[in-house]
Amino acid sequence: MRQGHLFVVSGPSGAGKGTVLKRLINEYDNLEYSISATTRHSRKGEVDGKDYFFLTENDFFKLVDDDRFIEWAKVHNNYYGTPKDYVLEMIEKGKDIILEIDIQGAKQVCESYPEAIFVFLAPPSLEELARRLDQRGSENRHTKEVRLNNAREEMKERENYDYEIINDKIDQAVLKLKSIIIAENCKIK
Amino acid sequence: MRQGHLFVVSGPSGAGKGTVLKRLINEYDNLEYSISATTRHSRKGEVDGKDYFFLTENDFFKLVDDDRFIEWAKVHNNYYGTPKDYVLEMIEKGKDIILEIDIQGAKQVCESYPEAIFVFLAPPSLEELARRLDQRGSENRHTKEVRLNNAREEMKERENYDYEIINDKIDQAVLKLKSIIIAENCKIK
């Protein structure tokens, strides 16, 4: 039976990863979102094994020690990670699986699972990114500067990726990501 | 400016190359059919430089001697070839160009222009291919056997290609070819 693939979508914050992926998941069958493990408490309505795998810190670090994460990180005092077993199980079943992650996380995936396909989602320009951050409204001036500086640095990472999608039109970006997934499934190894 | 790509679509006779490409050209902008040169006489309605480049045998072999063909062959006492200059000009202009060709021709392209992207279009099975050849009606039993034997041999070539599309459903085959073209244009070199 054919195996699935792991697609890693990364890029600077504000490039539109979440929006593109939400649209894609609706349009494309045979594609699963990767489910993260986390040590944070579940919120109302969140389902264990669907939204997240909720773990105690002890259990989380047992998995870390056993090298059972494709990547993991600490965010705001909680730990988040991508469990290897879930991803490998989906791939074995022939399912494609997609992981939305920041640049640092993508680097970790590249080390632990280099067979993944890496897609860099870029904003049309840093000016446009600044405009998008303004629109979010929630950013103060300092946070915005930090994010823009990060983005400037992160844009340099693109050359380590397999594909680049410049997210100037959402429809086009979704079509491109979908095309990459279809094309990778036609590849002769 | 971004450069275009040369896509080579090949596969056993009866796999449906012509049908898939006709549909694709209608659906996809920025894609040009490669125009062949030929020594055969133009038929009514055929336009030089659009349907074919019509050449004398002398002019044709001048191009052969000057290595100006990506591939060429003799078919039924006439010569046919893919002029390098036309293809390179389109690629320089940023146009993608698509070439539908038999397995032997694709091998020649691979030698003269290895940067091309090679797509193998396969029938769902040899049984289905036999059925399609029957439906054409124009094949006698001997010709059919020859074609099936050729197809059996040609199927072994697939592993030298970049992509494979199994043409069981025409809509799906067109979508896959289109996706390959879009994805290749997102690739980071």
Side-chain angles (χ1 to χ4, degrees):
Chain A
M1 206 185 81
R2 82 170 259 289
Q3 282 210 324
H5 306 88
L6 173 61
F7 293 90
V8 177
V9 177
S10 189
S13 163
K17 299 189 285 292
T19 320
V20 170
L21 257 71
K22 206 172 280 171
R23 281 271 304 273
L24 182 74
I25 294 276
N26 286 334
E27 286 185 21
Y28 193 88
D29 295 337
N30 203 42
L31 184 64
E32 297 285 329
Y33 236 133
S34 164
I35 302 173
S36 297
T38 182
T39 60
R40 80 156 165 75
H41 292 295
S42 65
R43 293 178 193 141
K44 215 184 150 182
E46 285 183 338
V47 180
D48 185 41
K50 185 167 173 262
D51 298 294
Y52 286 95
F53 298 112
F54 294 102
L55 300 182
T56 63
E57 231 169 84
N58 255 348
D59 288 343
F60 192 95
F61 277 96
K62 210 173 163 312
L63 291 179
V64 171
D65 290 343
D66 292 349
D67 193 28
R68 300 318 303 156
F69 281 118
I70 289 185
E71 58 76 39
W72 65 275
K74 187 177 186 178
V75 184
H76 304 309
N77 285 322
N78 291 304
Y79 294 93
Y80 293 84
T82 304
K84 217 177 253 184
D85 292 351
Y86 179 76
V87 169
L88 295 182
E89 189 192 317
M90 290 295 126
I91 287 173
E92 276 301 313
K93 280 187 184 168
K95 286 251 177 196
D96 290 327
I97 188 158
I98 200 154
L99 175 60
E100 174 203 339
I101 200 164
D102 65 15
I103 300 275
Q104 290 307 316
K107 272 190 184 171
Q108 280 191 56
V109 180
C110 189
E111 278 161 29
S112 63
Y113 194 74
E115 307 92 318
I117 296 135
F118 294 87
V119 180
F120 191 86
L121 193 74
S125 64
L126 288 170
E127 292 71 36
E128 172 60 19
L129 188 64
R131 211 184 55 78
R132 288 182 193 177
L133 293 176
D134 278 340
Q135 277 188 335
R136 283 191 187 179
S138 55
E139 318 278 334
N140 67 39
R141 198 163 152 187
H142 175 68
T143 320
K144 191 182 134 183
E145 281 308 313
V146 171
R147 277 182 187 259
L148 280 177
N149 275 332
N150 284 346
R152 201 168 287 125
E153 282 307 304
E154 288 176 343
M155 290 296 284
K156 295 176 188 160
E157 295 290 328
R158 64 179 282 284
E159 61 198 31
N160 299 317
Y161 284 64
D162 299 305
Y163 296 96
E164 179 181 43
I165 297 173
I166 296 165
N167 186 17
D168 48 358
K169 288 177 188 151
I170 174 85
D171 283 353
Q172 286 298 308
V174 174
L175 173 67
K176 283 174 182 175
L177 186 51
K178 192 172 153 186
S179 297
I180 289 167
I181 295 170
I182 295 174
E184 283 288 334
N185 278 298
C186 293
K187 260 197 186 160
I188 295 170
K189 305 291 171 235
Chain B
M1 207 183 80
R2 80 169 261 288
Q3 282 211 324
H5 305 88
L6 173 60
F7 293 90
V8 178
V9 177
S10 189
S13 161
K17 300 188 285 292
T19 320
V20 171
L21 258 72
K22 206 171 282 170
R23 281 271 304 274
L24 181 74
I25 294 276
N26 286 335
E27 287 184 21
Y28 193 87
D29 296 338
N30 202 41
L31 183 64
E32 297 285 329
Y33 235 134
S34 164
I35 301 173
S36 297
T38 181
T39 60
R40 82 155 164 74
H41 292 295
S42 65
R43 293 175 194 145
K44 215 184 146 180
E46 285 184 338
V47 178
D48 185 42
K50 186 167 171 260
D51 298 294
Y52 286 94
F53 298 111
F54 293 102
L55 300 181
T56 63
E57 230 168 85
N58 255 349
D59 287 345
F60 193 96
F61 276 95
K62 211 174 161 311
L63 291 178
V64 171
D65 291 343
D66 292 350
D67 193 28
R68 299 318 303 158
F69 281 118
I70 288 185
E71 58 77 39
W72 65 275
K74 187 177 185 179
V75 184
H76 305 310
N77 285 322
N78 290 304
Y79 294 93
Y80 293 83
T82 304
K84 216 176 255 184
D85 291 350
Y86 179 75
V87 169
L88 296 183
E89 189 192 318
M90 289 296 124
I91 287 173
E92 277 301 313
K93 279 186 185 168
K95 286 251 177 196
D96 289 327
I97 187 159
I98 200 155
L99 174 61
E100 173 203 339
I101 200 165
D102 65 17
I103 300 276
Q104 289 308 315
K107 272 189 183 171
Q108 279 190 56
V109 179
C110 191
E111 278 161 30
S112 62
Y113 194 75
E115 307 90 320
I117 296 135
F118 294 87
V119 180
F120 192 86
L121 193 75
S125 65
L126 287 171
E127 293 69 37
E128 172 60 20
L129 188 64
R131 213 184 54 79
R132 286 183 194 176
L133 293 176
D134 278 340
Q135 277 188 334
R136 282 191 187 178
S138 56
E139 318 277 334
N140 67 40
R141 199 164 152 186
H142 174 70
T143 320
K144 191 183 133 182
E145 280 309 313
V146 170
R147 276 182 187 260
L148 280 177
N149 275 331
N150 284 347
R152 202 168 286 125
E153 282 305 304
E154 287 176 343
M155 290 296 283
K156 295 176 189 160
E157 296 290 328
R158 64 179 282 283
E159 62 199 29
N160 299 316
Y161 284 65
D162 300 305
Y163 296 97
E164 178 180 44
I165 297 173
I166 296 166
N167 185 17
D168 47 358
K169 287 177 189 151
I170 173 85
D171 283 353
Q172 286 298 309
V174 173
L175 173 67
K176 284 174 180 175
L177 187 51
K178 193 172 152 184
S179 298
I180 289 167
I181 296 170
I182 294 173
E184 283 288 334
N185 279 298
C186 293
K187 260 196 186 160
I188 295 170
K189 306 291 171 236

